[in-house]
Amino acid sequence: MNDAATATIAVRYLDQAFGDWVADRLVADPESRDAARRLATAVSLALDLKHTCLDLEKYPALELPALDRLLDGLGAADVNALPETTCTTEPGPAPLVRSPDGRRLWLQKYAGFEQRLVTRVRALAATTVPLTNTVIEALDRLYPDRDSDQHAAVETALTRHMAVITGGPGTGKTWTVARLIALLLADAPVRRIGLAAPTGKAANRMMESLHKAVGADTALLEVLGDNRLPDKATTLHALLGIGRHSPQPRHDARQPLPLDVLIVDEASMVDLPMMTRVFEALPAGARLVLLGDRDQLASVEAGGVLAELCRSDSSMLYGDTPGPVAELKTNYRSTSAINALAVAVNAGKAPAKALFENDAVRRLLIAPGETDAWLDSASSHYEALTEAISGTVTAHDLVARLPAFQLLCALREGPYGVNGLNSQLEQRFGGRFERRHGRPWQLEQQAWYPGLPVMVTANDHERRLYNGDVGLVLPVREAPADPGTTGDGGWMIDPEHGELRACFPGQATRAIRFAQMPAFETAYALTVHKSQGSEYGHVVMVLPGDAERVADNPVLTRELLYTGITRAAERLDIHAGEGVLAAMVSRRTVRMSGLSRWQ
């Protein structure tokens, strides 16, 4: 790595202060203080980099100069030599915890999270449930051939107290869960089933996908009968009762959740502390089903729990019991060309030229001085939306067009980042509508204009808006309901007399005034991270223009590229510099963890 990379990841003041505190307050021998200071500082820095522990064998592969300098010359013997005032082999009063071989070092809190989670995982994974005659008969109706990976996933979830169903986008995870719920209710109609996801956006999408699956599956409807799906999905924070002002959950081991089954979607986004709390809040005898894509981006906080649970060498985690993991492999959604590219990237193969010689996938090289090619695609989509504002469509119809296209970026800053691209598109579209119709749109010194896409960046439970929700600013008026009908008539587009509001999709469109909006930002372009859990017809992904930038930025990995590719259902354009794709494919996300190594 070069100097730019060194500057990208630096030791924080917090890390240094923690190292100094451990060495100066807890180490009596002056000659041992330097090693203790550097090790404690490195553990703190590792947590900031989203690792749950410091692994002395794995960290060199990360190629992080800050860690390399801190740990230069130190090894397992130095960890084992730390005094008990600073380090023990079990979570306790000391601030650090080490593995018996001295290879791994944790902050006490995160050692506790891992150890508690492993205990719960092993207990749940070892518990099996026999299939009843009712379930066997219903399974035969749903899966008469019994040879699909979806059938195997459902049977795993029916016969184990813990199940992990993993698969890429379009492999039918939600469809599988819809059938699983129908089977669980057919067996016991009073069974209490909870649905949850890490974010409000993911929870809403989970419910939308479940209702869509039920409506399109005759066999499922027959098995479901008079039973009903759960009426809502919630965020994990809301499920556990974690408020904004306290990290302590209302539901835990002492006051468990009032559920018989908990199904968690987008589990790859769940970090170690939250996953531990979820497991601990389950009542005795309850079942847990985790859904997610193990190859997708890991959580934004410490840990990569889903990937750890799905590891092929997870025998130390599950013991002699076969792992409760089922993988869905058949893609039913993306075009074959997009899926072929995703498979190649996921396998660590640099995309061959043949993968881009089709109508669905294009690779466009970024050349010096040429930075506007992707803006043309975005402009065409948003131009069409702007033109439609002058028509007679409803706000619901226009907002429904948003998922047809999305501009995605790997980075937030820089010439190929979200902020720069949003700024360029704002310059193109801001004011265009006003010039055409001869009236400015200005509200509380915030320049909103018709056709501006916005993304919520903070949860607002009162208005049912959640971090990641994307809406469209439109001039609307509330239309009365038709005579003889109940409810309101929705929101109509009215360029002349309408009020500018941010309109969000749903069964009923939510039209929010600027003054009522939670924190938000312009959303012509989104980061790949923010797009997780979403699907778009046409994706234009903008990557760096220089392969050297990949080495400089730790987020530019195979997992990010795979996640961006798999957001596209019909068409994908990738703009990148020479060698960028190959460099990203060769770089995997590595998170140091001891989750599968606790004895």
Side-chain angles (χ1 to χ4, degrees), residues 375 378-379 381-383 385-386 405-409 418 421-430 449-455 470 472 521-526 540:
L375 295 180
S379 295
H381 172 70
Y382 289 107
E383 179 71 39
L385 284 180
T386 303
F405 174 90
Q406 187 58 58
L407 186 60
L408 297 180
C409 300
V418 162
L421 269 63
N422 276 329
S423 178
Q424 291 181 63
L425 283 163
E426 282 183 323
Q427 291 175 22
R428 286 196 178 195
F429 286 96
Y449 52 88
L452 173 69
V454 293
M455 181 180 65
V470 175
L472 195 65
E521 59 187 37
T522 299
Y524 286 113
L526 303 177
V540 175

Side-chain angles (χ1 to χ4, degrees), residues 193-205:
I193 300 175
L195 306 177
T199 66
K201 177 182 177 182
N204 289 338
R205 181 168 174 77

Side-chain angles (χ1 to χ4, degrees), residues 209-493:
S209 299
L210 281 173
H211 286 299
K212 183 178 180 181
V214 170
D217 191 337
T218 303
L220 186 154
L221 285 172
E222 292 177 356
V223 171
L224 193 61
D226 295 331
N227 299 316
R228 294 180 57 190
L229 292 177
D231 57 3
K232 69 174 182 178
T234 185
T235 65
L236 290 175
H237 281 81
L239 176 80
L240 299 179
I242 300 175
R244 289 180 295 176
H245 306 297
S246 173
Q248 296 303 318
R250 184 169 65 252
H251 291 289
D252 54 19
R254 291 169 297 182
Q255 188 172 347
L257 293 163
L259 294 173
D260 300 308
V261 181
L262 175 60
I263 300 172
V264 179
D265 199 9
E266 297 294 346
S268 65
M269 300 168 64
V270 184
D271 58 39
L272 172 65
M274 179 59 77
M275 191 70 83
T276 303
R277 292 181 176 115
V278 168
F279 271 79
E280 290 183 331
L282 291 173
R287 305 188 196 193
L288 176 65
V289 180
L290 301 176
L291 303 175
D293 185 349
R294 66 182 181 186
D295 298 312
Q296 203 168 279
L297 286 165
S299 61
V300 296
E301 298 300 332
V305 179
L306 184 71
E308 287 276 322
L309 294 176
C310 295
R311 281 175 52 164
S312 59
D313 61 342
S314 57
S315 59
M316 292 188 69
L317 184 59
Y318 300 116
D320 296 332
T321 305
V325 180
E327 183 176 5
L328 305 180
K329 299 177 181 179
T330 304
N331 188 294
Y332 299 96
R333 186 181 74 191
S334 301
T335 66
S336 58
I338 294 173
N339 189 48
L341 178 61
V343 169
V345 166
N346 203 24
K349 300 176 182 178
K353 182 179 179 181
L355 291 172
F356 301 98
E357 294 176 343
N358 56 79
D359 295 332
V361 181
R362 294 193 304 165
R363 176 178 58 184
L364 300 98
L365 291 177
I366 295 177
E370 297 181 11
T371 59
D372 292 330
W374 49 83
L375 295 180
D376 293 335
S377 296
S379 295
S380 297
H381 172 70
Y382 289 107
E383 179 71 39
L385 284 180
T386 303
E387 292 294 335
I389 292 172
S390 301
T392 59
V393 296
T394 65
H396 181 275
D397 293 335
L398 266 185
V399 172
R401 299 184 190 182
L402 275 174
F405 174 90
Q406 187 58 58
L407 186 60
L408 297 180
C409 300
L411 304 174
R412 178 163 289 275
E413 305 296 339
Y416 310 106
V418 162
N419 291 343
L421 269 63
N422 276 329
S423 178
Q424 291 181 63
L425 283 163
E426 282 183 323
Q427 291 175 22
R428 286 196 178 195
F429 286 96
R432 177 180 298 188
F433 193 91
E434 292 84 327
R435 289 192 295 272
R436 181 175 302 153
H437 292 274
R439 61 178 295 195
W441 296 94
Q442 193 80 16
L443 183 61
E444 295 185 7
Q445 300 181 350
Q446 169 68 29
W448 271 20
Y449 52 88
L452 173 69
V454 293
M455 181 180 65
V456 174
T457 59
N459 293 335
D460 186 334
H461 297 284
E462 181 181 350
R463 294 177 177 83
R464 293 177 293 114
L465 293 176
Y466 302 97
N467 188 0
D469 284 351
V470 175
L472 195 65
V473 174
L474 297 170
V476 295
R477 59 178 173 80
E478 194 166 11
D482 292 333
T485 64
T486 60
D488 61 53
W491 295 91
M492 298 299 299
I493 305 294

Side-chain angles (χ1 to χ4, degrees), residues 158-194:
L158 288 171
T159 57
R160 306 290 288 270
H161 269 227
M162 170 190 169
V164 181
I165 301 177
T166 183
T171 54
K173 294 189 293 295
T174 307
W175 191 287
T176 301
V177 165
R179 290 188 162 196
L180 170 63
I181 293 173
L183 289 163
L184 289 169
L185 292 176
D187 186 48
V190 295
R191 188 169 266 146
R192 299 167 299 173
I193 300 175

Side-chain angles (χ1 to χ4, degrees), residues 39 42-43 46 51 53-64 67-68 71-80 99-106 311 313 316 590-594 597:
L39 286 167
V43 173
H51 306 283
C53 74
L54 175 66
D55 189 321
L56 295 181
E57 291 185 11
K58 281 188 176 180
Y59 88 84
L62 302 177
E63 297 183 347
L64 299 175
L67 274 179
D68 293 340
L71 299 172
D72 184 32
L74 298 178
D78 299 283
V79 173
N80 284 325
S99 58
D101 60 5
R103 170 181 161 181
R104 293 182 182 84
L105 195 61
W106 291 262
R311 281 175 52 164
D313 61 342
M316 292 188 69
V590 177
R591 290 203 169 172
M592 295 183 287
S593 167
R597 296 294 183 265

